[in-house]
Amino acid sequence: YGRSGVQLVTVERLVDMYNNRILPIIYQQGSLGASGDLAPLAHMSLSLLGEGKVDVLENPNKSIYKRKKASKVFSDLDWNAIKLQSKEGLALLNGTQFMSSYGVWSLIKAKKLSYLADLISSISIEAFDCRNEFYDKLIQKVRPHKGQLKTANNIEDFLKGSEIRNKRKEHVQDPYSFRCIPQVHGATKDVISHVEQVFNTEINSVTDNPNIFINEDKIISGGNFHGQILSMSMDYLAIALAELASISERRTYKLISGERDLPPFLIKDPGLNSGMMITQYTAASIVSQNKQLCTPASVDSIVSSNGQEDHVSMGANAATKLYTVINNVEKVLAIELLNAIQALSFRKDVPLAIAEAEIAPANELKNPLDILLSKIILNLLLSIFSGLSFFNVWSAAIFPSSVGS
């Protein structure tokens, strides 16, 4: 059936395995991102034959999986192993699904991180007592990139009614890491939108080889298995997301630098207590690693298959690098959040949005993590980290569908 020429029972078994949360063990390394993701997809397809091992959901409430032999799982469910017919081996192995799955997961996370970057940076804007002109709509309209417009609009919404932003400022301008948030975060949003278009096309395409055209009575061998467009797109996305972390770390640095009536390292009595200093160390280390991980995989190629596969995309390497970058960005944004809230506690003017929260007075703060005991911090951290890491019910509250990227 279809352009790939597979049995209906093969497709149905893949669907049944997914619906029953039976997940084949697939390894991260081994694909060149050209002749399909051969090695990873071979491990995926092995389970269809009743071979290899799979992870099976044991406790849905706690998402606990147990590793079992595929043959045992099939026996328990009274399933027969699939007997592959001609062309099916190629159909299962000769595609871009490893790269595509990483790309789709990354896009989902990227949209959430983009929104969170706007939210957390808005707290930093308040904490650093920034001016409010830089996210004025008039500035954005004369350079109307969609991502820039969206970011400025998000910041305006988050800070609506703020007492801090409306008070008189002594400084004339803010550092770029604050003043250029719409332009930097917005650029990332535009990259996310572009990469989303690429992957929407890819996951609805035929990517194995050869392709079968029944009506035309043709079987055509081509190169739809080549992952160059995915590899380049994931390299692009990794760079875009790494910039969210890069500019975030700079804001963290400014917050702990002892400027604008904030104490050095955001601690009331600095000295032996180094306060939040080490958090910036950590962020700097992570940002540096991201720079190394953003070296493009898509510009590399190594000849394989005795010269037949003489140009490959290395898209699988782009995918796994992107995965690490995303997890790194999550950590750096969390570090900024901790520092922004700590800095905000030293402000006499409290933003209207959190005016009713139970925040400890700044003069009572001696330990830099005391602020975490307040209701606002506990609720904010719970919301953000559950949304970032577990995509549970909190996501619906903090990431409304209208937000998008």
Side-chain angles (χ1 to χ4, degrees):
Y1 291 90
R3 304 299 187 194
S4 297
V6 297
Q7 302 176 88
L8 186 58
V9 66
T10 303
V11 178
E12 290 174 339
R13 178 57 53 82
L14 289 169
V15 173
D16 288 341
M17 290 179 68
Y18 177 81
N19 288 338
N20 284 277
R21 296 298 186 266
I22 301 169
L23 309 179
I25 306 302
I26 302 173
Y27 298 93
Q28 287 188 324
Q29 294 179 309
S31 172
L32 298 178
S35 196
D37 293 311
L38 292 176
L41 294 183
H43 284 284
M44 181 199 76
S45 304
L46 187 64
S47 58
L48 294 173
L49 309 180
E51 302 289 344
K53 294 183 178 181
V54 294
D55 283 342
V56 182
L57 184 62
E58 291 283 310
N59 187 333
N61 294 327
K62 296 184 178 180
S63 296
I64 295 176
Y65 284 80
K66 184 175 182 180
R67 189 156 296 184
K68 299 179 178 180
K69 289 184 177 181
S71 57
K72 178 66 168 61
V73 175
F74 277 31
S75 177
D76 292 344
L77 293 171
D78 198 26
W79 288 356
N80 294 321
I82 299 296
K83 294 182 179 179
L84 299 180
Q85 303 299 315
S86 56
K87 178 62 175 69
E88 286 196 290
L90 285 172
L92 290 166
L93 272 63
N94 213 196
T96 62
Q97 286 71 37
F98 180 89
M99 293 177 282
S100 295
S101 60
Y102 266 87
V104 170
W105 180 90
S106 297
L107 282 165
I108 294 171
K109 292 280 285 190
K111 287 188 173 185
K112 295 180 184 295
L113 289 173
S114 173
Y115 177 79
L116 279 173
D118 293 349
L119 174 61
I120 294 169
S121 65
S122 296
I123 302 173
S124 295
I125 289 169
E126 292 282 86
F128 202 59
D129 191 26
C130 291
R131 303 182 67 87
N132 59 17
E133 295 95 341
F134 66 82
Y135 51 90
D136 189 291
K137 291 181 179 179
L138 292 176
I139 293 179
Q140 322 313 324
K141 286 182 178 179
V142 297
R143 196 192 189 199
H145 293 289
K146 289 183 179 179
Q148 179 176 333
L149 290 167
K150 180 63 177 175
T151 298
N153 186 65
N154 282 347
I155 296 172
E156 175 65 34
D157 286 346
F158 294 144
L159 299 183
K160 190 175 297 181
S162 163
E163 297 174 12
I164 292 179
R165 79 167 183 171
N166 293 323
K167 75 174 186 178
R168 186 177 179 277
K169 310 295 182 185
E170 297 296 329
H171 47 277
V172 178
Q173 290 183 326
D174 297 303
Y176 286 4
S177 56
F178 293 89
R179 199 191 336 163
C180 299
I181 290 172
Q183 290 76 19
V184 178
H185 288 199
T188 296
K189 286 179 174 59
D190 288 341
V191 173
I192 292 171
S193 296
H194 167 71
V195 175
E196 183 178 19
Q197 292 177 357
V198 171
F199 277 88
N200 274 337
T201 298
E202 184 72 12
I203 63 176
N204 289 287
S205 299
V206 180
T207 60
D208 71 320
N209 187 67
N211 299 144
I212 299 173
F213 302 89
I214 299 296
N215 294 336
E216 293 81 2
D217 194 28
K218 289 184 176 180
I219 298 177
I220 303 175
S221 180
N224 280 354
F225 49 71
H226 203 291
Q228 193 68 32
I229 193 168
L230 305 184
S231 185
M232 295 174 71
S233 295
M234 287 188 284
D235 281 340
Y236 193 19
L237 184 58
I239 292 170
L241 291 171
E243 282 304 290
L244 292 182
S246 181
I247 195 171
S248 172
E249 182 276 328
R250 288 292 81 199
R251 290 191 294 265
T252 294
Y253 180 86
K254 298 301 288 185
L255 288 171
I256 69 169
S257 62
E259 301 178 34
R260 299 189 180 181
D261 298 323
L262 293 174
F265 308 129
L266 300 178
I267 189 69
K268 187 174 182 292
D269 299 310
L272 292 178
N273 190 336
S274 60
M276 304 297 276
M277 178 182 70
I278 201 67
T279 65
Q280 186 269 330
Y281 275 42
T282 305
S285 171
I286 295 171
V287 167
S288 178
Q289 185 186 63
N290 274 353
K291 294 174 184 178
Q292 298 163 38
L293 290 168
C294 284
T295 299
S298 56
V299 298
D300 188 26
S301 180
I302 297 178
V303 178
S304 59
S305 191
N306 200 29
Q308 179 68 22
E309 299 173 16
D310 58 350
H311 183 278
V312 297
S313 76
M314 295 299 180
N317 290 344
T320 52
K321 288 198 303 98
L322 172 60
Y323 176 84
T324 303
V325 168
I326 286 174
N327 288 329
N328 282 347
V329 173
E330 178 178 306
K331 296 180 179 73
V332 174
L333 289 175
I335 289 169
E336 182 187 356
L337 173 63
L338 291 174
N339 283 276
I341 293 294
Q342 177 77 345
L344 195 62
S345 71
F346 287 95
R347 295 293 175 198
K348 294 179 180 179
D349 303 286
V350 179
L352 182 63
I354 61 172
E356 298 179 358
E358 299 174 7
I359 301 181
N363 59 6
E364 295 180 9
L365 289 172
K366 294 183 179 180
N367 186 303
L369 295 183
D370 281 348
I371 191 65
L372 295 180
L373 300 177
S374 69
K375 181 197 296 183
I376 182 64
I377 300 306
L378 291 174
N379 287 342
L380 188 56
L381 286 176
L382 181 59
S383 298
I384 287 179
F385 285 112
S386 60
L388 276 169
S389 301
F390 306 111
F391 296 99
N392 65 4
V393 68
W394 280 94
S395 295
I398 196 169
F399 304 121
S401 58
S402 60
V403 169
S405 62

